[in-house]
Amino acid sequence: MKKNKFLAILFSIVGLVSLNSCEQYLDVESLSNTAEAQQFDSASDTFSALVGVYNATMGDNTYGQRMNLILTQSGDDLRTSGDYNANDRRGISCFGAIPTNTELLRPFLDTYAGIERANLVIKNIPLSPVYQTGFCSRQKINGQIFG
């Protein structure tokens, strides 16, 4: 009986000690995410952020297909004839698209993501150490972004 009581107390203590966590291990910085201050600390990282702006708008949902080929087919001088479904591409060209049309959601979301990225680049470039300290780097970045 004393042996069982001793083992129960021993395993309880070992269990309680093993459940403690180390705070340093839990506060590990994610290697897959980049903070804004870190993204704009060099000219090459700033250029990568700028490329990310254009990358958000180059897929099939934006300027790759939808915005160039599908959404531009709407006009009062060109109209698809016959019956159409308001939930497909012909619903857009017949001015009958409804909010559940899947051809409208992804172009909106991807364009919105590109605008958000552009706003972050415009906000953070003047705050970056590269912009504030380097004259040549500042001219290069200004030329690529604003001119």
Side-chain angles (χ1 to χ4, degrees), residues 6 12 17 33 52 60 63 77 80 83 95 97 110 114 129 131 139:
F6 174 74
S12 297
V17 170
N33 293 331
D60 283 343
Y63 292 106
D77 59 339
T80 304
D83 292 335
F95 301 107
D110 289 350
Y131 183 86
Q139 283 184 331

Side-chain angles (χ1 to χ4, degrees), residues 28-35 38:
V28 173
E29 184 178 327
S30 175
L31 299 176
S32 62
N33 293 331
T34 305
Q38 183 182 6

Side-chain angles (χ1 to χ4, degrees), residues 10-23:
L10 179 67
F11 285 128
S12 297
I13 292 172
V14 169
L16 288 174
V17 170
S18 67
L19 291 177
N20 289 339
S21 64
C22 178
E23 289 183 26

Side-chain angles (χ1 to χ4, degrees), residues 81-101:
S81 62
D83 292 335
Y84 66 91
N85 183 355
N87 275 320
D88 66 4
R89 295 175 183 173
R90 292 181 71 193
I92 295 170
S93 63
C94 289
F95 301 107
I98 57 177
T100 58
N101 190 323

